[in-house]
Amino acid sequence: MSGMDINALLLTVKLAALTSIILIGISVPLAWWLAHWRSPAKSIVLAILALPLVLPPTVLGFYLLISFAPDTWLGQSWLALSGRQLAFSFEGILLGSVIYSLPFAVQPLHNAFEQLNPRFVEVAKTLGLNRTQQFMQVILPITRGSFFTAAGLSFAHTLGEFGVVLMIGGNIPGETQVVSIALFDHVEAMAYEQAHALALVMLLFSLCLLTVLYRFNSSRISLWK
């Protein structure tokens, strides 16, 4: 495996890890709010959040690329703050990954919060716990499995990104060239041995990640039975 391939692997893991961390921070309050929001518009909001599940990645990537252009308010704001353009940068593919993987983090948390028995929170209130204590001491232990699911699915989904990253970031080694793009380059160049090595590493890594995730969730279900 070449040094460029190793750099692509490291960049992919970095992208997936940062995306998962950011998504947990965003998804927890968003999922909690959605679980307790009662409005006819809720189905529309849930549908918008779930769009990345059904939209072709290139469609989402195309509109994000337009939004990140230097002549848009978002592109201009980022350029003024950082001195770098948002499109064709690591920050750009990170923001795109957060949007693309958002439903994989929100949905497990939303389902867990919706199924949470409100009596647990009511009892916590009678014991004098404030909201932070209620969340940390009551809600989090009960719904902890959904947090691991949300983080694990977000991480795994980001590992396999191709269309969104290619549209937003192009193919810049060390900056935006993730494993899926490096693999595509090897196949285009008919370097099948290098392509096989990259594909096998990602296959084994993804399989191990999902196995650990399913094993953890099975253990949690057994404990609560």
Side-chain angles (χ1 to χ4, degrees):
M1 191 177 292
S2 67
M4 190 173 291
D5 288 342
I6 293 174
N7 287 337
L9 280 168
L10 294 175
L11 183 68
T12 303
V13 173
K14 176 184 174 182
L15 177 65
L18 289 176
T19 297
S20 301
I21 293 169
I22 293 171
L23 278 176
I24 291 298
I26 294 172
S27 300
V28 171
L30 179 58
W32 182 262
W33 171 67
L34 285 171
H36 296 86
W37 185 38
R38 299 292 177 264
S39 169
K42 181 176 178 177
S43 58
I44 299 175
V45 174
L46 289 173
I48 292 172
L49 292 174
L51 270 177
L53 295 173
V54 296
L55 274 180
T58 48
V59 172
L60 181 61
F62 171 70
Y63 283 112
L64 289 176
L65 179 61
I66 292 176
S67 302
F68 294 172
D71 58 348
T72 64
W73 70 267
L74 180 58
Q76 287 177 348
S77 300
W78 181 257
L79 189 61
L81 286 172
S82 65
R84 285 160 46 92
Q85 66 175 16
L86 190 55
F88 306 108
S89 68
F90 178 79
E91 292 81 6
I93 64 173
L94 177 60
L95 181 54
S97 298
V98 168
I99 295 172
Y100 185 47
S101 296
L102 183 62
F104 290 88
V106 171
Q107 289 189 358
L109 294 170
H110 175 250
N111 292 337
F113 293 154
E114 270 201 329
Q115 294 169 12
L116 181 67
N117 192 328
R119 295 178 65 182
F120 289 116
V121 178
E122 292 171 6
V123 171
K125 288 179 181 178
T126 62
L127 294 175
L129 300 181
N130 58 39
R131 289 191 175 183
T132 302
Q133 292 171 326
Q134 291 169 25
F135 182 81
M136 297 301 297
Q137 298 180 29
V138 178
I139 298 170
L140 182 58
I142 296 173
T143 61
R144 185 170 57 183
S146 64
F147 282 78
F148 282 96
T149 301
L153 289 178
S154 301
F155 189 93
H157 186 247
T158 305
L159 287 178
E161 285 184 28
F162 178 76
V164 170
V165 172
L166 185 61
M167 292 290 286
I168 298 172
N171 187 6
I172 306 172
E175 179 76 15
T176 63
Q177 188 187 63
V178 294
V179 168
S180 57
I181 296 175
L183 177 61
F184 181 77
D185 284 348
H186 288 322
V187 173
E188 263 200 328
M190 292 189 291
Y192 295 127
E193 186 174 340
Q194 291 174 293
H196 176 68
L198 265 184
L200 185 60
V201 168
M202 291 306 296
L203 176 63
L204 294 176
F205 184 81
S206 300
L207 180 60
C208 291
L209 175 64
L210 292 174
T211 301
V212 170
L213 186 61
Y214 278 112
R215 186 178 293 277
F216 175 82
N217 281 337
S218 298
S219 301
R220 292 287 300 171
I221 292 171
S222 300
L223 286 173
W224 283 101
K225 282 185 178 179

